[in-house]
Amino acid sequence: MKSAQPWAALVVIGILLGATSCTYEDSTEDPTRAATTTAPSPKVLRIGTQDDAIGPTRGQIEEFARQVQARSHRTLVVDPVYRAGGDSGKGWDQVVARRVMGGDLEMAVVPARTWDTEGVLDFRALSAPFLVTSSAMIKEVVKPEHARGMLASLESAGVTGLALFPDGPRMLFSFTTPILTLADVKGMVVRAPLSDTTFAILAALGAIPVDLADQEFGDGVERGTVGGAESSMAYAQDLPTARNATGRAIATGNLVVHSKISTLVINNKARAALTGDEQRILQEAADSTREWASALLAPLSAEARKYCEGGGKVAMATEQELAAFRAALAPVYGVLEQDAETRELIGRLQDLAARTPADPAVRPCDYDTY
């Protein structure tokens, strides 16, 4: 009898190896087998803001996104959309607010002052003149015990408020000579973000408030038709070239009319599409980001010093001049306090302000060189 051919043995071995290989690939029990199941794609939440690289908002959004990604183990991703209100139109913050209300954006960081044009009036107390004027007060009012009721009012706009984020004190900047008296601002066109409360404050001072797009704003300053801006030290470096010897806008350092505080919101339908754990992750990340941002908020005196070191100018009004500004703004309180809830919140904020230590005094710089 002839012996089996060598190739026949090889065929048998090959069949056995193939069977073994197939058995390994198909096994779901073998702990050494590499996973073949594709990981689910993360849920992406686009978060809009009108701000870009200038100011605190970008850092806050980046920190929030980092927190969400870490806490969710990358199953949730926050995707920033900067300049979400566009570059050429007016009411840019309102554009962002309407995009998130309508679901075009899942989330947004919207200044609290913006909501008064959208039918949400509960934040107006934050913009009441000469009330929230220091970094210490800003850190207090963004805490949940003060913010909770205001944030709840956003439900009527189709969004859920997760947190208030601190930004900074707002004051008047001049592109010619400093604003130290009511006469200095009377009839002056002042660029300001659209807000019924902000515009009422500026009008009560005798100014003409306008919400100009960037190009319009710069052109107006260059032509001399725009004399000032309502802004903050954090954004001052981005102001147009001034029409004075220094080329830098002059801030009235102790004329803080109110402060910018932002709302972090999520569209209600987008939130409903998340699991309970995912909603909890967003809230925890929002709370943690608020605390992180508050810890970074510098007093106005430090921001003013930085502005001066960068070539900016800071002037100071006298106590008598400040008293005249306060008297001119008294009627604004009369209007705000016609609403019972706003009146009650203003009273609570006034009590809080009386208990909150004052920030270090702002120092003028090169005020005689303009």
Side-chain angles (χ1 to χ4, degrees), residues 197-271:
T197 307
T198 301
F199 274 34
I201 290 171
L202 294 174
L205 295 179
I208 303 171
V210 289
D211 63 322
L212 300 172
D214 289 348
Q215 186 64 48
E216 246 186 323
F217 181 27
D219 290 347
V221 173
E222 186 177 356
R223 290 194 303 266
T225 56
V226 177
E230 184 263 21
S231 190
S232 68
M233 293 297 179
Y235 301 88
Q237 61 178 305
D238 208 33
L239 292 174
T241 302
R243 292 167 57 86
N244 55 38
T246 69
R248 300 299 300 272
I250 305 165
T252 308
N254 58 347
L255 185 60
V256 178
V257 288
H258 61 90
S259 292
K260 179 182 175 183
I261 293 166
S262 295
T263 61
L264 173 65
V265 301
I266 181 170
N267 175 275
N268 283 342
K269 291 182 180 178
R271 184 174 183 271

Side-chain angles (χ1 to χ4, degrees), residues 244-317:
N244 55 38
T246 69
R248 300 299 300 272
I250 305 165
T252 308
N254 58 347
L255 185 60
V256 178
V257 288
H258 61 90
S259 292
K260 179 182 175 183
I261 293 166
S262 295
T263 61
L264 173 65
V265 301
I266 181 170
N267 175 275
N268 283 342
K269 291 182 180 178
R271 184 174 183 271
L274 301 175
T275 66
D277 275 348
E278 289 168 339
Q279 292 178 16
R280 174 185 55 78
I281 286 168
L282 290 183
Q283 186 60 65
E284 290 177 353
D287 292 338
S288 181
T289 302
R290 181 197 65 249
E291 294 174 3
W292 173 88
S294 290
L296 289 179
L297 186 63
L300 178 58
S301 57
E303 293 294 323
R305 184 169 61 250
K306 186 186 302 182
Y307 183 57
C308 291
E309 290 170 352
K313 306 301 171 189
V314 177
M316 305 289 282

